[in-house]
Amino acid sequence: MVRKTYRAVTTAAASAILLFSASAAHAALTTYTSQSAYLSAVGTTGVDTFDDLWIEPYDTPFARTAGDIGYVATTGPGNPRAYGASDDDIDWYLTPSRASDSVTFSSFDTPVAGAGGYFWGSDGGGYSVFAPYITVTATDSTGATLTYTITDPVPSSFLGFVSDAQIVSLSVATGVQTGVDGYPIWPTVNNLHLSVAAVPEPGTYAMLLAGLGMLGWTARRRQRQGSQPAA
């Protein structure tokens, strides 16, 4: 009797876990255009300010850290070099060597469920300029990919992605576009946010607990029916 009870409870728990996993597997990437909203949706967050950079080339891929989270920054495909950029030589940003290249953050050494930062355009001298748009693309471990276009981005334009799975890369690009002066626009990144875990919504926990409770009740009922003497 003890063995049957153990098997029933184990089966119920396993079924609930599979149900929960299936729900998570179908979850989509979510975007946040507010830093405060993003931070409220994620767990521990590390930030790379890029303030250690300078106006000089950095061969990529090169390893960096956002808080305690290690990652790799890569530029390309045209030129595998990155540059530091700044408006005041105090607050520094990250840009690629070529305006048409993208900046990609990947190879996180800790499972990352959230990624974001400030994204806008700069000129060949590293100064912030008006850009018609900038695109940011996130890809997670389920293969889901989401591209978000920020129109008229400025240095305070924040964008963050959160996934119930693990985010494996974040890429930023301006494509081939020019500013009001006719010069190319470089994709520019500041304060890269990497978050170790998304905070599950209360409804997710409620559904899991309800499923466990229902499966446990069903297992107990079947056990009682099986123990009744035959008529």
Side-chain angles (χ1 to χ4, degrees):
M1 185 64 64
V2 173
R3 182 176 301 173
K4 289 180 63 177
T5 303
Y6 173 78
R7 288 183 58 187
V9 173
T10 301
T11 302
S15 300
I17 292 171
L18 287 173
L19 177 64
F20 177 75
S21 299
S23 299
H26 289 86
L29 284 159
T30 303
T31 58
Y32 294 85
T33 56
S34 163
Q35 183 189 38
S36 59
Y38 169 83
L39 291 174
S40 68
V42 295
T44 303
T45 298
V47 179
D48 188 351
T49 65
F50 302 113
D51 286 343
D52 60 314
L53 301 183
W54 191 248
I55 306 176
E56 61 182 52
Y58 297 87
D59 291 330
T60 71
F62 70 134
R64 296 190 60 81
T65 59
D68 295 328
I69 304 173
Y71 72 94
V72 171
T74 307
T75 62
N79 192 322
R81 282 187 173 180
Y83 274 84
S86 179
D87 290 323
D88 55 13
D89 293 342
I90 297 174
D91 188 14
W92 289 85
Y93 327 130
L94 181 67
T95 66
S97 178
R98 294 184 180 180
S100 58
D101 283 346
S102 61
V103 182
T104 300
F105 308 103
S106 61
S107 300
F108 309 122
D109 67 2
T110 300
V112 168
Y118 292 94
F119 310 102
W120 73 101
S122 61
D123 60 18
Y127 295 99
S128 300
V129 295
F130 169 79
Y133 65 88
I134 189 169
T135 58
V136 187
T137 301
T139 302
D140 71 16
S141 56
T142 69
T145 297
L146 179 61
T147 297
Y148 188 96
T149 299
I150 307 174
T151 56
D152 302 336
V154 294
S156 60
S157 296
F158 180 87
L159 182 67
F161 295 86
V162 175
S163 172
D164 286 342
Q166 297 177 18
I167 293 180
V168 296
S169 70
L170 185 72
S171 184
V172 187
T174 54
V176 182
Q177 61 174 309
T178 57
V180 293
D181 56 4
Y183 290 101
I185 297 172
W186 275 254
T188 308
V189 184
N190 194 24
N191 292 351
L192 176 70
H193 288 51
L194 297 178
S195 307
V196 297
V199 178
E201 296 181 359
T204 302
Y205 281 131
M207 290 177 62
L208 176 60
L209 292 174
L212 283 170
M214 180 61 69
L215 289 170
W217 177 83
T218 302
R220 289 193 298 272
R221 183 179 181 184
R222 288 177 178 175
Q223 178 188 353
R224 286 197 299 267
Q225 290 176 346
S227 63
Q228 292 178 357

PDB file of all heavy atoms in Angstrom, residues 2-18 212 215-216 219-220 223:
ATOM      1  N   VAL A   2       1.946   1.267   0.785  1.00  0.00           N
ATOM      2  CA  VAL A   2       2.852   2.419   0.836  1.00  0.00           C
ATOM      3  C   VAL A   2       3.483   2.654  -0.510  1.00  0.00           C
ATOM      4  O   VAL A   2       3.606   3.769  -0.990  1.00  0.00           O
ATOM      5  CB  VAL A   2       3.925   2.201   1.920  1.00  0.00           C
ATOM      6  CG1 VAL A   2       4.955   3.319   1.858  1.00  0.00           C
ATOM      7  CG2 VAL A   2       3.277   2.140   3.295  1.00  0.00           C
ATOM      8  N   ARG A   3       3.880   1.541  -1.191  1.00  0.00           N
ATOM      9  CA  ARG A   3       4.526   1.663  -2.493  1.00  0.00           C
ATOM     10  C   ARG A   3       3.567   2.259  -3.506  1.00  0.00           C
ATOM     11  O   ARG A   3       3.933   3.100  -4.310  1.00  0.00           O
ATOM     12  CB  ARG A   3       5.011   0.292  -2.947  1.00  0.00           C
ATOM     13  CG  ARG A   3       5.751   0.327  -4.281  1.00  0.00           C
ATOM     14  CD  ARG A   3       6.296  -1.050  -4.626  1.00  0.00           C
ATOM     15  NE  ARG A   3       7.206  -1.509  -3.598  1.00  0.00           N
ATOM     16  CZ  ARG A   3       7.730  -2.730  -3.570  1.00  0.00           C
ATOM     17  NH1 ARG A   3       7.395  -3.615  -4.503  1.00  0.00           N
ATOM     18  NH2 ARG A   3       8.559  -3.070  -2.620  1.00  0.00           N
ATOM     19  N   LYS A   4       2.277   1.816  -3.486  1.00  0.00           N
ATOM     20  CA  LYS A   4       1.299   2.345  -4.425  1.00  0.00           C
ATOM     21  C   LYS A   4       1.076   3.828  -4.183  1.00  0.00           C
ATOM     22  O   LYS A   4       0.946   4.606  -5.119  1.00  0.00           O
ATOM     23  CB  LYS A   4      -0.026   1.584  -4.295  1.00  0.00           C
ATOM     24  CG  LYS A   4       0.033   0.164  -4.821  1.00  0.00           C
ATOM     25  CD  LYS A   4      -1.296  -0.530  -4.673  1.00  0.00           C
ATOM     26  CE  LYS A   4      -2.375   0.160  -5.488  1.00  0.00           C
ATOM     27  NZ  LYS A   4      -3.655  -0.555  -5.411  1.00  0.00           N
ATOM     28  N   THR A   5       1.016   4.241  -2.916  1.00  0.00           N
ATOM     29  CA  THR A   5       0.829   5.647  -2.597  1.00  0.00           C
ATOM     30  C   THR A   5       2.011   6.465  -3.097  1.00  0.00           C
ATOM     31  O   THR A   5       1.848   7.539  -3.676  1.00  0.00           O
ATOM     32  CB  THR A   5       0.679   5.827  -1.072  1.00  0.00           C
ATOM     33  OG1 THR A   5      -0.420   5.034  -0.623  1.00  0.00           O
ATOM     34  CG2 THR A   5       0.442   7.285  -0.729  1.00  0.00           C
ATOM     35  N   TYR A   6       3.227   5.963  -2.884  1.00  0.00           N
ATOM     36  CA  TYR A   6       4.436   6.677  -3.311  1.00  0.00           C
ATOM     37  C   TYR A   6       4.436   6.853  -4.821  1.00  0.00           C
ATOM     38  O   TYR A   6       4.722   7.936  -5.336  1.00  0.00           O
ATOM     39  CB  TYR A   6       5.671   5.908  -2.869  1.00  0.00           C
ATOM     40  CG  TYR A   6       6.965   6.476  -3.395  1.00  0.00           C
ATOM     41  CD1 TYR A   6       7.530   7.611  -2.810  1.00  0.00           C
ATOM     42  CD2 TYR A   6       7.607   5.888  -4.478  1.00  0.00           C
ATOM     43  CE1 TYR A   6       8.710   8.142  -3.303  1.00  0.00           C
ATOM     44  CE2 TYR A   6       8.785   6.413  -4.971  1.00  0.00           C
ATOM     45  CZ  TYR A   6       9.345   7.535  -4.378  1.00  0.00           C
ATOM     46  OH  TYR A   6      10.506   8.058  -4.861  1.00  0.00           O
ATOM     47  N   ARG A   7       4.063   5.763  -5.535  1.00  0.00           N
ATOM     48  CA  ARG A   7       4.054   5.844  -6.994  1.00  0.00           C
ATOM     49  C   ARG A   7       3.005   6.829  -7.478  1.00  0.00           C
ATOM     50  O   ARG A   7       3.222   7.569  -8.427  1.00  0.00           O
ATOM     51  CB  ARG A   7       3.788   4.457  -7.590  1.00  0.00           C
ATOM     52  CG  ARG A   7       4.951   3.503  -7.449  1.00  0.00           C
ATOM     53  CD  ARG A   7       4.653   2.181  -8.118  1.00  0.00           C
ATOM     54  NE  ARG A   7       4.351   2.359  -9.535  1.00  0.00           N
ATOM     55  CZ  ARG A   7       3.927   1.380 -10.329  1.00  0.00           C
ATOM     56  NH1 ARG A   7       3.710   0.174  -9.821  1.00  0.00           N
ATOM     57  NH2 ARG A   7       3.694   1.612 -11.602  1.00  0.00           N
ATOM     58  N   ALA A   8       1.855   6.875  -6.806  1.00  0.00           N
ATOM     59  CA  ALA A   8       0.797   7.782  -7.229  1.00  0.00           C
ATOM     60  C   ALA A   8       1.219   9.236  -7.062  1.00  0.00           C
ATOM     61  O   ALA A   8       1.018  10.064  -7.934  1.00  0.00           O
ATOM     62  CB  ALA A   8      -0.481   7.502  -6.428  1.00  0.00           C
ATOM     63  N   VAL A   9       1.827   9.552  -5.907  1.00  0.00           N
ATOM     64  CA  VAL A   9       2.269  10.918  -5.647  1.00  0.00           C
ATOM     65  C   VAL A   9       3.395  11.303  -6.595  1.00  0.00           C
ATOM     66  O   VAL A   9       3.448  12.417  -7.124  1.00  0.00           O
ATOM     67  CB  VAL A   9       2.721  11.063  -4.180  1.00  0.00           C
ATOM     68  CG1 VAL A   9       3.337  12.433  -3.952  1.00  0.00           C
ATOM     69  CG2 VAL A   9       1.540  10.854  -3.249  1.00  0.00           C
ATOM     70  N   THR A  10       4.327  10.361  -6.830  1.00  0.00           N
ATOM     71  CA  THR A  10       5.436  10.640  -7.736  1.00  0.00           C
ATOM     72  C   THR A  10       4.932  10.915  -9.140  1.00  0.00           C
ATOM     73  O   THR A  10       5.376  11.837  -9.812  1.00  0.00           O
ATOM     74  CB  THR A  10       6.422   9.454  -7.758  1.00  0.00           C
ATOM     75  OG1 THR A  10       6.896   9.233  -6.441  1.00  0.00           O
ATOM     76  CG2 THR A  10       7.595   9.749  -8.679  1.00  0.00           C
ATOM     77  N   THR A  11       3.980  10.121  -9.597  1.00  0.00           N
ATOM     78  CA  THR A  11       3.412  10.326 -10.924  1.00  0.00           C
ATOM     79  C   THR A  11       2.713  11.667 -11.014  1.00  0.00           C
ATOM     80  O   THR A  11       2.821  12.378 -12.004  1.00  0.00           O
ATOM     81  CB  THR A  11       2.414   9.195 -11.246  1.00  0.00           C
ATOM     82  OG1 THR A  11       3.097   7.950 -11.171  1.00  0.00           O
ATOM     83  CG2 THR A  11       1.826   9.380 -12.641  1.00  0.00           C
ATOM     84  N   ALA A  12       1.991  12.035  -9.965  1.00  0.00           N
ATOM     85  CA  ALA A  12       1.300  13.318  -9.967  1.00  0.00           C
ATOM     86  C   ALA A  12       2.286  14.469 -10.043  1.00  0.00           C
ATOM     87  O   ALA A  12       2.100  15.423 -10.801  1.00  0.00           O
ATOM     88  CB  ALA A  12       0.440  13.444  -8.701  1.00  0.00           C
ATOM     89  N   ALA A  13       3.359  14.396  -9.258  1.00  0.00           N
ATOM     90  CA  ALA A  13       4.362  15.463  -9.270  1.00  0.00           C
ATOM     91  C   ALA A  13       5.043  15.555 -10.622  1.00  0.00           C
ATOM     92  O   ALA A  13       5.255  16.641 -11.157  1.00  0.00           O
ATOM     93  CB  ALA A  13       5.394  15.214  -8.176  1.00  0.00           C
ATOM     94  N   ALA A  14       5.385  14.406 -11.201  1.00  0.00           N
ATOM     95  CA  ALA A  14       6.049  14.404 -12.503  1.00  0.00           C
ATOM     96  C   ALA A  14       5.144  14.997 -13.570  1.00  0.00           C
ATOM     97  O   ALA A  14       5.589  15.754 -14.430  1.00  0.00           O
ATOM     98  CB  ALA A  14       6.450  12.980 -12.884  1.00  0.00           C
ATOM     99  N   SER A  15       3.859  14.667 -13.516  1.00  0.00           N
ATOM    100  CA  SER A  15       2.916  15.199 -14.496  1.00  0.00           C
ATOM    101  C   SER A  15       2.803  16.711 -14.369  1.00  0.00           C
ATOM    102  O   SER A  15       2.737  17.431 -15.360  1.00  0.00           O
ATOM    103  CB  SER A  15       1.538  14.560 -14.313  1.00  0.00           C
ATOM    104  OG  SER A  15       1.619  13.156 -14.487  1.00  0.00           O
ATOM    105  N   ALA A  16       2.793  17.210 -13.129  1.00  0.00           N
ATOM    106  CA  ALA A  16       2.700  18.648 -12.918  1.00  0.00           C
ATOM    107  C   ALA A  16       3.947  19.364 -13.432  1.00  0.00           C
ATOM    108  O   ALA A  16       3.862  20.437 -14.022  1.00  0.00           O
ATOM    109  CB  ALA A  16       2.499  18.950 -11.428  1.00  0.00           C
ATOM    110  N   ILE A  17       5.112  18.753 -13.195  1.00  0.00           N
ATOM    111  CA  ILE A  17       6.353  19.357 -13.671  1.00  0.00           C
ATOM    112  C   ILE A  17       6.376  19.407 -15.184  1.00  0.00           C
ATOM    113  O   ILE A  17       6.784  20.390 -15.795  1.00  0.00           O
ATOM    114  CB  ILE A  17       7.573  18.579 -13.131  1.00  0.00           C
ATOM    115  CG1 ILE A  17       7.673  18.788 -11.613  1.00  0.00           C
ATOM    116  CG2 ILE A  17       8.862  19.023 -13.815  1.00  0.00           C
ATOM    117  CD1 ILE A  17       8.714  17.901 -10.951  1.00  0.00           C
ATOM    118  N   LEU A  18       5.923  18.319 -15.842  1.00  0.00           N
ATOM    119  CA  LEU A  18       5.875  18.309 -17.301  1.00  0.00           C
ATOM    120  C   LEU A  18       4.909  19.361 -17.821  1.00  0.00           C
ATOM    121  O   LEU A  18       5.180  20.032 -18.812  1.00  0.00           O
ATOM    122  CB  LEU A  18       5.452  16.921 -17.791  1.00  0.00           C
ATOM    123  CG  LEU A  18       6.506  15.816 -17.667  1.00  0.00           C
ATOM    124  CD1 LEU A  18       5.885  14.473 -18.032  1.00  0.00           C
ATOM    125  CD2 LEU A  18       7.704  16.109 -18.561  1.00  0.00           C
ATOM    126  N   LEU A 212      -0.675  20.598  -9.073  1.00  0.00           N
ATOM    127  CA  LEU A 212      -0.205  19.608  -8.104  1.00  0.00           C
ATOM    128  C   LEU A 212      -1.318  19.149  -7.182  1.00  0.00           C
ATOM    129  O   LEU A 212      -1.463  17.957  -6.876  1.00  0.00           O
ATOM    130  CB  LEU A 212       0.948  20.204  -7.287  1.00  0.00           C
ATOM    131  CG  LEU A 212       2.313  20.274  -7.980  1.00  0.00           C
ATOM    132  CD1 LEU A 212       3.285  21.101  -7.146  1.00  0.00           C
ATOM    133  CD2 LEU A 212       2.877  18.879  -8.200  1.00  0.00           C
ATOM    134  N   LEU A 215      -3.815  16.883  -9.136  1.00  0.00           N
ATOM    135  CA  LEU A 215      -3.260  15.556  -9.411  1.00  0.00           C
ATOM    136  C   LEU A 215      -3.127  14.739  -8.130  1.00  0.00           C
ATOM    137  O   LEU A 215      -3.364  13.524  -8.123  1.00  0.00           O
ATOM    138  CB  LEU A 215      -1.895  15.702 -10.095  1.00  0.00           C
ATOM    139  CG  LEU A 215      -1.947  16.219 -11.542  1.00  0.00           C
ATOM    140  CD1 LEU A 215      -0.550  16.548 -12.033  1.00  0.00           C
ATOM    141  CD2 LEU A 215      -2.603  15.192 -12.457  1.00  0.00           C
ATOM    142  N   GLY A 216      -2.758  15.387  -7.038  1.00  0.00           N
ATOM    143  CA  GLY A 216      -2.663  14.679  -5.768  1.00  0.00           C
ATOM    144  C   GLY A 216      -4.019  14.191  -5.297  1.00  0.00           C
ATOM    145  O   GLY A 216      -4.152  13.059  -4.803  1.00  0.00           O
ATOM    146  N   ALA A 219      -4.994  11.190  -7.322  1.00  0.00           N
ATOM    147  CA  ALA A 219      -4.249   9.991  -6.923  1.00  0.00           C
ATOM    148  C   ALA A 219      -4.818   9.398  -5.643  1.00  0.00           C
ATOM    149  O   ALA A 219      -4.970   8.174  -5.514  1.00  0.00           O
ATOM    150  CB  ALA A 219      -2.775  10.343  -6.733  1.00  0.00           C
ATOM    151  N   ARG A 220      -5.178  10.249  -4.667  1.00  0.00           N
ATOM    152  CA  ARG A 220      -5.740   9.761  -3.414  1.00  0.00           C
ATOM    153  C   ARG A 220      -7.095   9.103  -3.639  1.00  0.00           C
ATOM    154  O   ARG A 220      -7.428   8.085  -3.038  1.00  0.00           O
ATOM    155  CB  ARG A 220      -5.852  10.903  -2.399  1.00  0.00           C
ATOM    156  CG  ARG A 220      -4.502  11.376  -1.862  1.00  0.00           C
ATOM    157  CD  ARG A 220      -4.693  12.264  -0.648  1.00  0.00           C
ATOM    158  NE  ARG A 220      -5.449  13.464  -0.973  1.00  0.00           N
ATOM    159  CZ  ARG A 220      -4.892  14.597  -1.405  1.00  0.00           C
ATOM    160  NH1 ARG A 220      -3.573  14.659  -1.607  1.00  0.00           N
ATOM    161  NH2 ARG A 220      -5.641  15.658  -1.661  1.00  0.00           N
ATOM    162  N   GLN A 223      -6.647   5.748  -5.056  1.00  0.00           N
ATOM    163  CA  GLN A 223      -6.126   4.838  -4.049  1.00  0.00           C
ATOM    164  C   GLN A 223      -7.246   4.325  -3.150  1.00  0.00           C
ATOM    165  O   GLN A 223      -7.316   3.137  -2.847  1.00  0.00           O
ATOM    166  CB  GLN A 223      -5.067   5.559  -3.219  1.00  0.00           C
ATOM    167  CG  GLN A 223      -4.494   4.679  -2.087  1.00  0.00           C
ATOM    168  CD  GLN A 223      -3.587   5.469  -1.166  1.00  0.00           C
ATOM    169  OE1 GLN A 223      -3.281   6.623  -1.445  1.00  0.00           O
ATOM    170  NE2 GLN A 223      -3.175   4.866  -0.090  1.00  0.00           N
TER     171      GLN A 223
END
